[in-house]
């Protein structure tokens, strides 16, 4: 990052390894990673529980002195624990176990930071500052030689961990990503931290357990807020990789199908390195795709092949700021764009969606399951997950009105309704009619409206078996001539029973709102 020195250096361990009965996977066997995969919510909760703060400023319980008489000083428990939580967050995201603080490692690291600050230079092999005791220098040398070191004007360790050591994007670091590999070392059980002025240290050479876990960064679920788009990708196999030049990597965006291919003889899509040094574990494949961008919800598949066989895993990027938000989707199922309302997990959604329209259909309501009306949307609810409501439509349509013949200065008016049998059981179908002046303003005509005339459809006017619909008529008769100019309104109604056995009513109003006998006669 900007304020971290370009020369973040990791020490190279030169171990004499005795390998016995090492068996590599066959090229045909596809392996995954050996670590846990945490969900977005689990990572979010971890950050909240640990109260991760990259801006936590380093504090001292004992002030250091970089001139004679030298004093390493001591970091506060709050500073050390905050740095530990940040480091453990990186390990948690990667699927590794937590590490703990060691008083001895803290002492080495703090002495190491003092030696660096006294010399004014960054080195894993620092000279002994003039006048410094052999004992203090020995501790400091160990702290520098066996850990991650940094020169940074950041006044906190947390940002150095996340935006310095985990990134390792400089030309001198990207071929090994050693700082990151020490942080994500599966065998590490304990660590320590130190800081004096602008110099930071972290003890990394702890080998408390044996492990050959395959570890990747970015991890299988990676928060964008903790990832730099220029960061090299890495996959540590945990074993020496023979024939590094034969290693190939294919990166595929599962959202778009875009591909990147990496090999030792091609840099068209980005660089590829294979490093067998013991930065925590050997056998690290490092690659960086060109033209890569970070987007919430993008999922990438990594498939690496070599003497170790084939390792394949997915990486999904997500925004932490979106994790605690819930998208409530209203799908009108009528060709229009969905309406999406976004709220926090503990927030009520006070919202009334507009009533959609669909030619030839009548809107019933919004449901999680359109086959079960008990799943209806209700304003004021809270949500623990993203939820989709879909419009339920009844395939029923009031077609129009016509006049019956005039007999003895009286007539009738009838309304035709077309109804399809789309799955829910039709319990009853009919028509309700009322003079407009009797319908209270702003109210809809329903079976509960006082003084309605109800016509239950007993006989079908038309039956179309090929298209699975019927047309029925609802009739109001004996309207006297002096009321031929009185506006009349109507609505078809159908009583259904859904697949879960629940009954519901659907009303399909007369499209023109109202009509009169004389209007129909004139037409």
């Amino acid at each position: 990052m900007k304020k971290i020195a370009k020369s973040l250096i990791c020490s190279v361990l030169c171990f004499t390894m005795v390998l016995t009965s090492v068996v590599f996977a066959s090229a045909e066997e596809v392996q995954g990673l050996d670590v846990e995969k945490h969900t977005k919510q689990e990572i979010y909760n971890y950050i909240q529980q640990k109260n991760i703060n990259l801006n936590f400023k380093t504090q001292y319980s004992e002030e250091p002195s970089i001139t004679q008489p030298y004093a390493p000083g001591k970091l506060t428990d709050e500073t050390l624990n905050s740095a530990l939580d940040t480091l453990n967050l990186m390990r948690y995201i990667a699927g590794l176990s937590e590490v703990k603080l060691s008083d001895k490692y803290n002492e080495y690291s703090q002495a190491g930071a003092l030696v660096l600050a006294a010399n004014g230079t960054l080195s894993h092999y620092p000279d002994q500052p003039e006048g410094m005791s052999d004992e203090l220098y020995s501790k400091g040398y160990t702290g520098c030689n066996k850990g991650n070191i940094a020169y940074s004007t950041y006044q906190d360790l947390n940002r150095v961990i996340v935006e310095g050591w985990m990134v390792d994007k400089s030309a001198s670091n990207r071929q090994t990503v050693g700082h990151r590999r020490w942080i994500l070392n599966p065998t590490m059980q304990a660590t320590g931290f130190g800081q004096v002025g602008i110099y930071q240290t972290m003890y990394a050479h702890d080998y408390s357990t044996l492990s050959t876990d395959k570890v990747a960064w970015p991890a299988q679920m990676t928060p964008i807020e903790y990832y730099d788009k220029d960061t090299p990708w890495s996959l540590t196999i945990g074993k020496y990789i023979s024939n590094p030049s034969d290693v190939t990597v294919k990166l595929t965006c599962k959202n778009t199908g875009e591909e990147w291919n990496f090999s030792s003889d091609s840099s068209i899509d980005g660089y590829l390195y294979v490093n067998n040094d013991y930065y925590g574990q050997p056998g690290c494949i490092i690659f960086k795709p060109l033209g890569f961008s970070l987007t919430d919800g993008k999922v990438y598949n990594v498939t690496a092949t070599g003497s170790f066989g084939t390792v394949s895993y997915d990486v999904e990027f997500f925004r932490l700021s979106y994790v605690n938000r819930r998208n409530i989707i209203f799908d009108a199922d009528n060709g229009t764009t969905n309406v999406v309302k976004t709220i926090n997990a503990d927030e009520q959604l006070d919202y009334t969606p507009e009533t959609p329209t669909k030619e030839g259909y009548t809107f019933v309501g919004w449901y999680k399951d359109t086959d079960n009306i008990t799943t209806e949307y209700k304003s004021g609810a809270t949500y623990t997950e993203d939820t989709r409501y879909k419009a339920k439509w009844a395939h029923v349509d009031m077609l129009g009105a016509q006049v019956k013949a005039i007999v003895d200065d009286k007539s009738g008016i009838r309304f035709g309704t077309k109804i399809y049998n789309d799955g829910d059981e039709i319990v009853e179908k009919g028509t309700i009619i009322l003079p407009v002046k009797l319908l209270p303003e702003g109210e809809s005509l329903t079976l509960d409206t006082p003084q309605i005339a109800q016509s239950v459809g007993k006989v079908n006017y038309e039956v179309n078996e090929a298209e699975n619909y019927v047309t029925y008529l609802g009739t109001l008769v004996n309207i006297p001539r002096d009321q031929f100019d009185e506006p009349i309104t109507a609505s078809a109604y159908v009583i259904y029973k859904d697949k879960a056995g629940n009954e519901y009513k659907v009303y399909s109003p007369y499209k023109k709102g109202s009509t009169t006998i004389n209007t129909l006669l004139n037409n």
Side-chain angles (χ1 to χ4, degrees):
M1 310 318 305
K2 288 191 206 175
K3 297 185 179 178
I4 295 181
K6 292 182 180 179
S7 179
L8 284 176
I9 304 169
C10 270
S11 59
V12 178
L13 294 182
C14 298
F15 287 168
T16 301
M17 302 299 295
V18 179
L19 301 178
T20 59
S21 301
V22 177
V23 179
F24 292 104
S26 66
E28 292 77 18
E29 182 183 350
V30 178
Q31 311 160 63
L33 301 180
D34 301 317
V35 293
E36 291 187 41
K37 178 181 178 181
H38 297 292
T39 66
K40 300 175 188 179
Q41 191 66 53
E42 287 172 338
I43 294 172
Y44 177 89
N45 292 344
Y46 189 96
I47 292 169
Q48 297 303 307
Q49 292 163 5
K50 297 289 187 178
N51 194 26
I52 303 297
N53 178 12
L54 297 190
N55 295 315
F56 188 96
K57 300 302 179 185
T58 297
Q59 301 166 2
Y60 298 93
S61 59
E62 297 176 14
E63 290 292 330
S65 173
I66 62 172
T67 59
Q68 299 186 52
Y70 296 106
K74 190 173 182 180
L75 301 179
T76 63
D77 290 343
E78 291 79 8
T79 299
L80 291 168
N81 286 324
S82 182
L84 179 68
D85 288 342
T86 302
L87 181 143
N88 276 330
L89 170 62
M90 298 297 100
R91 292 177 64 87
Y92 185 82
I93 293 171
L96 297 169
S97 61
E98 293 183 341
V99 298
K100 60 185 179 181
L101 287 172
S102 160
D103 291 340
K104 179 174 67 173
Y105 294 165
N106 285 331
E107 188 176 2
Y108 288 154
S109 298
Q110 190 61 28
L114 174 67
V115 170
L116 296 178
N119 286 335
T121 186
L122 201 66
S123 173
H124 284 287
Y125 310 97
D127 295 330
Q128 184 170 357
E130 184 178 353
M132 180 175 286
S133 69
D134 291 345
E135 180 183 2
L136 181 55
Y137 170 64
S138 176
K139 291 179 181 178
Y141 188 92
T142 299
C144 295
N145 186 248
K146 294 187 179 296
N148 288 343
I149 59 177
Y151 168 95
S152 164
T153 54
Y154 289 138
Q155 291 303 302
D156 57 80
L157 281 158
N158 299 357
R159 198 168 290 280
V160 171
I161 292 169
V162 175
E163 299 181 359
W165 291 328
M166 283 299 296
V167 173
D168 265 359
K169 67 180 180 181
S170 68
S172 60
N173 288 314
R174 70 186 191 189
Q175 297 186 38
T176 61
V177 292
H179 301 91
R180 178 192 307 166
R181 288 160 66 187
W182 283 123
I183 289 174
L184 301 183
N185 177 13
T187 69
M188 182 167 67
Q189 297 287 294
T191 189
F193 299 98
Q195 179 171 327
V196 174
I198 58 175
Y199 292 90
Q200 294 89 7
T201 56
M202 168 201 148
Y203 192 92
H205 292 203
D206 177 81
Y207 287 90
S208 298
T209 62
L210 295 175
S211 174
T212 55
D213 287 346
K214 292 184 285 295
V215 184
W217 191 263
Q220 296 171 94
M221 196 67 75
T222 299
I224 291 175
E225 291 86 345
Y226 290 94
Y227 188 80
D228 185 307
K229 68 180 180 63
D230 295 322
T231 298
W233 295 44
S234 60
L235 167 62
T236 303
I237 301 299
K239 299 176 182 178
Y240 184 88
I241 298 176
S242 60
N243 303 320
S245 61
D246 292 339
V247 172
T248 61
V249 176
K250 181 177 182 179
L251 179 68
T252 306
C253 179
K254 299 180 78 169
N255 307 75
T256 66
E258 188 176 5
E259 291 184 0
W260 293 261
N261 291 281
F262 307 90
S263 64
S264 61
D265 58 0
S266 174
S267 59
I268 295 175
D269 290 343
Y271 60 73
L272 172 71
Y273 303 109
V274 177
N275 183 272
N276 277 313
D277 295 328
Y278 277 80
Y279 293 98
Q281 290 194 119
C284 185
I285 302 166
I286 304 154
F287 56 100
K288 174 65 176 70
L290 297 175
F292 168 74
S293 61
L294 288 176
T295 307
D296 178 77
K298 281 286 184 70
V299 181
Y300 296 85
N301 175 259
V302 177
T303 299
T305 304
S307 59
F308 48 83
T310 298
V311 177
S312 183
Y313 60 95
D314 288 344
V315 172
E316 180 175 348
F317 291 99
F318 70 97
R319 286 201 177 278
L320 285 166
S321 56
Y322 294 172
V323 170
N324 207 35
R325 297 165 72 182
R326 302 292 179 259
N327 291 322
I328 313 305
I329 304 165
F330 296 89
D331 179 0
D333 189 27
N334 65 350
T336 62
T337 303
N338 297 341
V339 174
V340 181
K341 292 295 181 180
T342 302
I343 57 172
N344 292 326
D346 56 352
E347 181 183 356
Q348 288 185 340
L349 177 58
D350 295 315
Y351 171 68
T352 301
E354 291 186 9
T355 300
T357 59
K358 186 175 183 179
E359 186 66 28
Y361 290 78
T362 298
F363 177 70
V364 179
W366 302 99
Y367 301 90
K368 295 179 189 176
D369 179 359
T370 53
D371 288 332
N372 186 345
I373 63 167
T374 63
T375 63
E376 185 177 14
Y377 167 76
K378 291 181 175 60
S379 181
T382 58
Y383 297 85
T384 59
E385 59 186 2
D386 289 353
T387 302
R388 177 181 291 272
Y389 289 99
K390 193 169 182 178
K392 183 177 180 67
W393 296 99
H395 207 163
V396 53
D397 189 24
M398 179 173 267
L399 301 174
Q402 61 181 184
V403 170
K404 281 190 76 175
I406 298 174
V407 178
D408 296 332
D409 263 0
K410 293 181 180 180
S411 182
I413 184 171
R414 60 187 180 187
F415 296 84
T417 299
K418 188 176 187 179
I419 179 172
Y420 288 76
N421 189 348
D422 281 347
D424 286 357
E425 179 187 346
I426 299 171
V427 177
E428 181 177 302
K429 57 186 185 292
T431 306
I432 46 180
I433 306 170
L434 186 74
V436 172
K437 63 183 181 182
L438 299 180
L439 183 65
E441 186 177 353
E443 289 191 12
S444 300
L445 194 61
T446 73
L447 285 166
D448 297 323
T449 302
Q451 303 183 65
I452 58 166
Q454 179 181 359
S455 173
V456 178
K458 301 293 187 182
V459 178
N460 295 321
Y461 173 72
E462 178 190 6
V463 177
N464 189 320
E465 295 181 355
E467 297 184 30
N468 200 28
Y469 73 80
V470 299
T471 302
Y472 68 91
L473 301 175
T475 306
L476 180 67
V477 297
N478 296 325
I479 301 171
R481 186 175 290 275
D482 62 3
Q483 294 182 20
F484 278 16
D485 283 324
E486 287 284 344
I488 295 172
T489 187
S491 178
Y493 75 87
V494 182
I495 301 175
Y496 289 97
K497 183 180 289 186
D498 68 14
K499 293 179 176 61
N502 307 295
E503 285 194 3
Y504 63 95
K505 299 179 182 70
V506 171
Y507 297 95
S508 181
Y510 178 55
K511 292 185 177 62
K512 294 183 179 181
S514 64
T515 191
T516 66
I517 298 290
N518 278 334
T519 298
L520 295 174
L521 286 171
N522 292 334
N523 289 339

